[in-house]
Amino acid sequence: MGSLEKQEISILITGAGGFLGQELAAALLDAEPTAHLILADVVRPKASFLQHAKRITIIEADLTSSEAVTSLLQPKLSACYLLHGIMSGGAEANLDLGLKVNLDSFRLILDNLRKSQPAVKVIFPSSLAIYGPSQPGQVTNEKTIPMPQSSYGAEKLIVETLINDFSRRGLIDGRICRLPTVIVRPGAPSAAASSFASGIVRESLKGERNILPVGQDLEMWVASPRTVVKNLVAIKDVPQTKFGAPQGRAVNLPGQTVTVRQILEALEEIGGKEKRNLVEEIKDANIEAIVGSWPARFDTSLARKLGMSEDVTLKDEVEFFAKTLVS
Ligand SMILES: NC(=O)c1ccc[n+]([C@@H]2O[C@H](COP(=O)([O-])OP(=O)(O)OC[C@H]3O[C@@H](n4cnc5c(N)ncnc54)[C@H](O)[C@@H]3O)[C@@H](O)[C@H]2O)c1
């Protein structure tokens, strides 16, 4: 793969083989024509970047290994996107694995960065799962007290705290983005408790039967992959002075409140009744408890102040996703 020597900007993406990692890599290659990307994942990121072979370095590494982390962080970096992780359902099912990947590997990486790459920009995708259940009609913002109701949410919050503290000390320049649930996710279902929110659109549009494990009245805070990736790219260039006290380094990224019923309506509008009828409702109390504990209404005025983009409509996103299936 490519050489780092002549490049001025090097950006690391961990979890680069995952859903958002791959989309972010493609977006950064477009947005930063002189940047070199280091794409790291425990599984090899897909070959879709091969046309950019000179501008990328692919590294297969398990980031729970201290040797792997030290070697990965050797080149001088302009920014790091730390996207690797075990998703909410996976971290709930396997506490040890969640702690090892979602917490211990971040401690390793952040310690290494503060020593070897002082003041490097660190962008961390946190989640609405750091919050606890909200009262009906409550609007959540960055000042709402976090009270995670899942191990995944707790692990994200601990990493946020470390990033805030290292940034306060001037050791790194952390930017924490609390992401909505990102729909529509392409490919296979993920280990996220909210995986059904993409599945009811994706599998149905592909003509496959699928299961809805929650009630249709459940409200969710969602955003399209395009919006989330655009904002992850943009947050890197927000002046450092806009972060920090009093609001801290975390921002709730723009999204929209939708009920599951509205997702089904968007599916029917784009795919027709036949596709909508492929969704079978079979409740799963565990999934409903996790997703039901996440707030669904957010005040995103801080995101707007930082220049983050608003989301596209749900119908637009479902239509966009449907087109990717036929192209
Ligand atoms: N997708 C969403 O709706 C959403 C919402 C909120 C936050 N996030 C966060 O955004 C980030 C990316 O999410 P995603 O949907 O792309 O997840 P994903 O599961 O598609 O990708 C995660 C990647 O991390 C890699 N990984 C896991 N363990 C690893 C290890 N030990 N070493 C190296 N790599 C390892 C996996 O192989 C995978 O490719 C995650 O941190 C996630 O918590 C995502």
Side-chain angles (χ1 to χ4, degrees):
M1 289 295 155
S3 145
L4 288 175
E5 281 154 28
K6 290 183 202 142
Q7 310 287 338
E8 280 176 33
I9 305 172
S10 325
I11 301 174
L12 167 67
I13 305 176
T14 68
F19 161 42
L20 292 176
Q22 294 186 62
E23 303 256 342
L24 176 65
L28 282 170
L29 284 165
D30 276 351
E32 303 278 355
T34 60
H36 188 99
L37 301 191
I38 304 171
L39 305 178
D41 201 299
V42 72
V43 294
R44 193 174 172 78
K46 295 252 164 57
S48 53
F49 307 109
L50 280 184
Q51 76 272 27
H52 293 292
K54 288 199 177 117
R55 295 180 54 205
I56 57 173
T57 300
I58 291 183
I59 295 180
E60 245 178 289
D62 178 350
L63 300 175
T64 62
S65 145
S66 144
E67 294 75 33
V69 167
T70 308
S71 127
L72 178 68
L73 300 179
Q74 290 296 321
K76 179 82 191 124
L77 300 169
S78 317
C80 309
Y81 285 88
L82 303 181
L83 266 59
H84 69 286
I86 303 297
M87 299 310 108
S88 49
E92 200 58 22
N94 189 336
L95 178 61
D96 289 315
L97 179 66
L99 287 170
K100 197 171 167 193
V101 179
N102 292 351
L103 193 52
D104 299 346
S105 79
F106 281 85
R107 175 75 204 278
L108 270 178
I109 291 172
L110 292 171
D111 265 343
N112 202 305
L113 285 174
R114 74 182 163 90
K115 291 174 188 161
S116 66
Q117 312 256 355
V120 67
K121 283 182 192 172
V122 176
I123 297 102
F124 175 59
S126 186
S127 161
L128 50 75
I130 62 128
Y131 295 108
S134 50
Q135 301 301 317
Q138 183 189 319
V139 178
T140 296
N141 68 18
E142 288 78 6
K143 292 192 180 105
T144 304
I145 296 173
M147 194 60 71
Q149 300 297 307
S150 64
S151 297
Y152 169 81
E155 289 148 10
K156 288 282 188 193
L157 184 59
I158 297 168
V159 174
E160 281 197 12
T161 307
L162 262 186
I163 291 177
N164 265 314
D165 190 48
F166 288 3
S167 301
R168 178 190 62 81
R169 287 174 167 270
L171 300 171
I172 60 171
D173 173 3
R175 286 122 195 265
I176 299 159
C177 298
R178 292 178 182 154
L179 270 50
T181 293
V182 187
I183 66 169
V184 179
R185 178 189 179 106
S190 76
S194 55
S195 177
F196 67 86
S198 285
I200 56 178
V201 176
R202 182 186 56 231
E203 266 65 270
S204 304
L205 287 175
K206 285 198 277 185
E208 294 167 13
R209 294 204 158 276
N210 60 90
I211 289 168
L212 172 63
V214 299
Q216 291 191 26
D217 291 330
L218 183 81
E219 282 191 341
M220 299 182 73
W221 178 245
V222 302
S224 87
R226 285 171 291 158
T227 308
V228 168
V229 166
K230 190 173 175 191
N231 285 329
L232 286 174
V233 171
I235 199 108
K236 169 174 68 57
D237 298 321
V238 173
Q240 192 180 0
T241 49
K242 298 221 170 180
F243 294 95
Q247 84 272 7
R249 301 228 143 214
V251 55
N252 291 310
L253 286 194
Q256 56 191 304
T257 307
V258 296
T259 59
V260 169
R261 181 171 292 105
Q262 286 172 314
I263 304 178
L264 291 170
E265 283 166 3
L267 164 66
E268 187 167 334
E269 212 173 324
I270 302 303
K273 218 171 189 49
E274 188 196 323
K275 299 284 197 262
R276 159 68 185 86
N277 289 342
L278 292 168
V279 180
E280 191 182 352
E281 292 180 40
I282 305 177
K283 289 262 179 86
D284 180 323
N286 289 333
I287 291 179
E288 205 157 37
I290 294 181
V291 182
S293 76
W294 298 343
R297 293 168 187 238
F298 282 79
D299 166 7
T300 54
S301 40
L302 176 61
R304 282 200 300 279
K305 261 190 234 158
L306 297 179
M308 300 294 100
S309 299
E310 293 298 334
D311 199 14
V312 299
T313 67
L314 190 56
K315 188 182 159 202
D316 272 357
E317 175 52 25
V318 174
E319 199 166 19
F320 179 85
F321 179 77
K323 283 184 189 148
T324 65
L325 291 179
V326 287
S327 61

